[in-house]
Amino acid sequence: MVDSSFLAGKNTQKSPYAKMRALVADEFENSRQSIRKMLVALGLEQVDVISTGKGVIDSCRSKKYDLILCDFRLGGSKNGQQVFEELRDSKLLKSDAIFVIISAETSRDVVMGIMESQPDEYLGKPFTQGVLEKRLQRLFNQTKALSKMKVFLANNDYEKLVPLCKEHVSEEGRYSPWCKKALIDAYLGLERWQELEVLCKSELEVRDYDWAWLGLAKLAIARKQWDEAIKHLEHVLKLFPQAIAGYDLLAECFKEKGKLPEAQKVLEDALSISPRIHKRQRDMAVVSMENGDVQSALKASQHTLKLAVNSIHENPDDYIRLADALTESVQSTDNASERKRFSNEALSTLGQVSKRYTADDKVRLRKTLAESRLYASQGNVVLRDKCLQNASEQMKENPSLGEPEVVLELGKSLYMAGQEDESQQLLSALIESDDAAPSLKQLASDFLDEPVSTTSRAKAKDLNKVALENYAKKDYLAAVEAFKEALEYSPRHPGLNLNLVQSLLRQMENVSKSKAIVHECIKALKRVEHISAGHKQHKRYEGLKNLVGQYEAKL
């Protein structure tokens, strides 16, 4: 029900919204003043105006606004979406403040990006005073009804949020859908799995709601039931192809299952709907690089950095990742002009990160190591070694810079410089370290398994697929040949080497025992001696090593 008192300010009584403080942000003076007049006519007496994104953030540092109308296009370097995300992440907005992004943008990508950032409202330009009045009435009424709940939700105070939401739902309040979605977050935060499951399933008995299916998927993810989560997410995306959050969750599940090609496909689908999300582009850059898809990794890395600059998301990792993607691109092409273009862009990117973080010694060191990898890809030995020497001096001057993530980058740089033993020693120590995060240890292990270019990894993966198909058809000779060809691109890969050993042993079952074949197995096993007891292939390695030993003893 619309609160009719909203219009009181236009009559004889003073508007109940008179004391509310509002801010209008728009690049153009005429537009700022026009919107300001509309708000004043609606009864708001305290209306400030500003033209830049930085101005909005500075204003919010000094005043607490109840209402902000912010254009997407602003003066300065930040757009309205970036301003909103920064204000929210920096806790510069009141938990019950209303933030409306206004825009004349018609681009679907821009509008989808704005909607995904979840402001309280999106209002397309031009709009009349009547339209603005109607939207604000609805938002004010909602804020008034949900004020306490929004405060508890913003503070993650779920114990206090749950009873209020349940009371509103039991009274069949107007904002019951909002309360039910808030309850999902609260139950997840409180690990009240059974109540979450009951809520979602009871709603789905009435009709299919995307948020209820997503709630069940989140519950399965929290329980690490990846197959169950994938089933729910594939179902919800079939019913609601625009449920964009479902794609991100599904990609996460595929990554947990080690199904990186499937994760990349899902991210591609999500980006085709809404590409202006920093995390999604970053995930795409990482996954596609893991899949050996250098072109997609480079494109996503470029988009990631573009979205990050001047936003709350900006960080050195995005610059370094883009530089490494460009380095991989240098290695993947024989075209001289392309190699030059990629190299120049990589150096430019590293120059930018150096300027953005001039006082950060760790960034300076990572930039130097990234440069060494770039020069290694160019075959420029002099500059490569000069960078490594420079990095070594930086670490001697400041030993605290040797954090695990820097050690990983140093290990990669050393390997690309031909210092394989030093790299192996450094990364093996990192894998055994108690200080490194499991994800970082996995990256180090993955690199030691395949210290080759992304292009080579992709070729090895394709050949491995061919070999496995032949193995499934019991054509072991063809499988052996394909595995051998794959190993030419990735000689240290544990899975490939063990697949070769297994195929050779199968081959021997059909022919007389051969010293040559056994020796070939031994050579393959030696190539993966680097794997530790914690490696996922170690048990298989030990089993095959024992079997080969038995064959060797009989010859």
Side-chain angles (χ1 to χ4, degrees):
M1 179 177 174
V2 172
D3 186 348
S4 59
S5 62
F6 183 81
L7 304 176
K10 296 194 294 186
N11 300 317
T12 53
Q13 290 183 319
K14 193 169 185 178
S15 166
Y17 308 102
K19 292 184 179 179
M20 297 183 76
R21 191 185 295 275
L23 177 66
V24 176
D26 197 297
E27 184 178 12
F28 300 105
E29 173 71 14
N30 288 344
S31 186
R32 288 197 298 273
Q33 294 306 327
S34 173
I35 297 170
R36 181 180 181 281
K37 285 179 183 176
M38 289 183 191
L39 292 176
V40 170
L42 293 174
L44 283 82
E45 296 179 355
Q46 303 175 73
V47 182
D48 296 334
V49 295
I50 201 77
S51 62
T52 67
K54 182 177 182 303
V56 177
I57 291 168
D58 289 344
S59 297
C60 288
R61 288 188 195 280
S62 59
K63 294 180 183 177
K64 295 298 181 186
Y65 289 97
D66 303 293
L67 169 67
I68 299 174
L69 295 176
C70 181
D71 199 294
F72 179 76
R73 298 290 176 195
L74 295 170
S77 54
K78 296 179 185 294
N79 63 44
Q81 182 182 337
Q82 291 172 326
V83 167
F84 171 59
E85 290 172 344
E86 184 166 342
L87 289 174
R88 182 177 55 192
D89 289 3
S90 304
K91 307 283 186 190
L92 291 174
L93 284 176
K94 290 168 57 180
S95 55
D96 59 350
I98 297 171
F99 196 102
V100 180
I101 294 184
I102 55 180
S103 176
E105 288 283 340
T106 56
S107 161
R108 178 172 177 269
D109 293 351
V110 171
V111 175
M112 281 297 295
I114 292 172
M115 297 306 291
E116 278 204 77
S117 68
Q118 298 184 337
D120 293 287
E121 186 64 81
Y122 172 76
L123 187 56
K125 278 184 171 180
F127 52 83
T128 64
Q129 181 168 322
V131 169
L132 178 62
E133 178 181 341
K134 202 170 181 179
R135 297 285 184 96
L136 293 185
Q137 282 177 348
R138 180 167 57 78
L139 290 168
F140 283 137
N141 289 342
Q142 184 191 52
T143 297
K144 186 177 179 182
L146 301 177
S147 179
K148 284 186 179 177
M149 288 180 261
K150 286 191 172 185
V151 171
F152 293 143
L153 183 62
N155 294 327
N156 296 331
D157 193 348
Y158 298 130
E159 292 285 4
K160 292 179 180 174
L161 174 66
V162 168
L164 290 180
C165 286
K166 290 176 76 171
E167 181 183 359
H168 189 90
V169 172
S170 66
E171 293 173 352
E172 299 183 354
R174 180 177 180 179
Y175 304 107
S176 290
W178 185 96
C179 289
K180 291 173 183 174
K181 295 174 190 174
L183 278 172
I184 288 178
D185 291 336
Y187 288 148
L188 281 169
L190 295 170
E191 297 187 2
R192 288 160 63 169
W193 308 138
Q194 190 173 0
E195 288 170 90
L196 171 54
E197 190 168 10
V198 169
L199 170 64
C200 293
K201 288 187 173 178
S202 63
E203 291 296 318
L204 292 172
E205 286 177 0
V206 179
R207 60 177 291 187
D208 282 312
Y209 292 106
D210 58 348
W211 55 267
W213 281 113
L214 289 173
L216 286 178
K218 290 176 182 175
L219 174 60
I221 290 171
R223 289 171 162 167
K224 301 188 185 302
Q225 297 171 341
W226 309 113
D227 290 332
E228 183 77 3
I230 289 171
K231 185 181 75 175
H232 291 319
L233 290 166
E234 288 181 336
H235 182 70
V236 72
L237 291 176
K238 187 176 179 182
L239 293 175
F240 305 96
Q242 299 296 312
I244 193 71
Y247 292 91
D248 296 325
L249 293 173
L250 184 55
E252 285 298 323
C253 292
F254 279 135
K255 282 194 287 183
E256 289 290 343
K257 294 281 290 180
K259 296 182 175 181
L260 295 183
E262 288 85 349
Q264 182 174 340
K265 175 66 173 62
V266 171
L267 287 170
E268 286 170 352
D269 291 342
L271 290 170
S272 70
I273 298 171
S274 182
R276 293 181 59 84
I277 299 299
H278 174 266
K279 179 182 181 303
R280 189 171 299 137
Q281 290 286 1
R282 184 194 64 198
D283 288 350
M284 179 66 180
V286 173
V287 168
S288 52
M289 185 63 84
E290 286 293 311
N291 284 330
D293 185 349
V294 179
Q295 193 173 358
S296 296
L298 176 57
K299 182 180 176 184
S301 297
Q302 290 168 326
H303 283 304
T304 303
L305 185 56
K306 190 175 179 182
L307 291 169
V309 172
N310 297 317
S311 82
I312 194 73
H313 307 295
E314 186 169 6
N315 66 86
D317 290 349
D318 291 339
Y319 290 90
I320 301 296
R321 187 181 300 108
L322 175 56
D324 281 342
L326 288 159
T327 296
E328 289 282 353
S329 300
V330 171
Q331 291 178 296
S332 68
T333 180
D334 295 325
N335 184 299
S337 63
E338 284 193 347
R339 287 173 63 87
K340 185 177 180 181
R341 179 168 62 84
F342 291 140
S343 296
N344 288 341
E345 188 178 341
L347 288 172
S348 172
T349 301
L350 292 172
Q352 289 172 43
V353 75
S354 184
K355 289 179 182 175
R356 304 286 284 193
Y357 301 91
T358 49
D360 192 323
D361 290 340
K362 183 178 165 185
V363 170
R364 186 162 65 95
L365 174 57
R366 294 180 67 195
K367 176 218 172 207
T368 305
L369 291 171
E371 284 175 335
S372 78
R373 295 192 289 275
L374 173 63
Y375 291 130
S377 73
Q378 295 173 330
N380 191 331
V381 176
V382 174
L383 288 178
R384 179 198 71 190
D385 292 345
K386 186 177 178 182
C387 286
L388 277 176
Q389 178 63 31
N390 188 352
S392 174
E393 290 170 2
Q394 290 178 48
M395 294 185 77
K396 282 180 184 174
E397 289 175 9
N398 189 352
S400 67
L401 294 177
E403 296 176 9
E405 62 177 326
V406 175
V407 171
L408 175 60
E409 293 180 15
L410 175 59
K412 292 180 178 179
S413 298
L414 288 172
Y415 200 97
M416 290 183 70
Q419 300 180 41
E420 299 178 8
D421 291 342
E422 291 87 343
S423 173
Q424 165 93 40
Q425 191 176 4
L426 198 66
L427 295 181
S428 295
L430 178 64
I431 292 169
E432 298 300 325
S433 167
D434 294 330
D435 298 332
S439 58
L440 211 59
K441 292 182 180 183
Q442 188 60 53
L443 287 173
S445 178
D446 291 345
F447 180 79
L448 286 178
D449 286 349
E450 279 195 294
V452 297
S453 71
T454 303
T455 305
S456 294
R457 285 204 299 273
K459 288 179 178 174
K461 185 180 286 186
D462 290 342
L463 287 163
N464 184 49
K465 187 178 177 183
V466 172
L468 290 173
E469 289 171 353
N470 287 321
Y471 186 90
K473 291 186 287 189
K474 299 184 178 179
D475 187 350
Y476 302 122
L477 186 60
V480 164
E481 292 306 313
F483 283 131
K484 285 182 180 177
E485 191 177 352
L487 283 164
E488 290 177 10
Y489 292 101
S490 184
R492 286 167 56 98
H493 192 281
L496 280 176
N497 278 293
L498 298 183
N499 286 345
L500 174 61
V501 172
Q502 196 166 320
S503 300
L504 287 167
L505 294 178
R506 287 289 188 186
Q507 188 184 346
M508 264 200 308
E509 291 175 355
N510 301 322
V511 298
S512 60
K513 303 295 181 289
S514 164
K515 278 188 179 180
I517 293 179
V518 173
H519 287 161
E520 201 162 0
C521 289
I522 292 171
K523 284 169 63 179
L525 291 170
K526 280 188 176 297
R527 285 196 291 267
V528 293
E529 282 180 335
H530 64 276
I531 65 174
S532 63
H535 195 285
K536 59 186 177 184
Q537 295 277 9
H538 189 264
K539 186 177 179 182
R540 185 182 174 210
Y541 163 74
E542 287 292 338
L544 288 170
K545 185 180 175 184
N546 182 50
L547 199 55
V548 171
Q550 293 175 26
Y551 276 111
E552 187 181 21
K554 293 177 183 176
L555 291 173

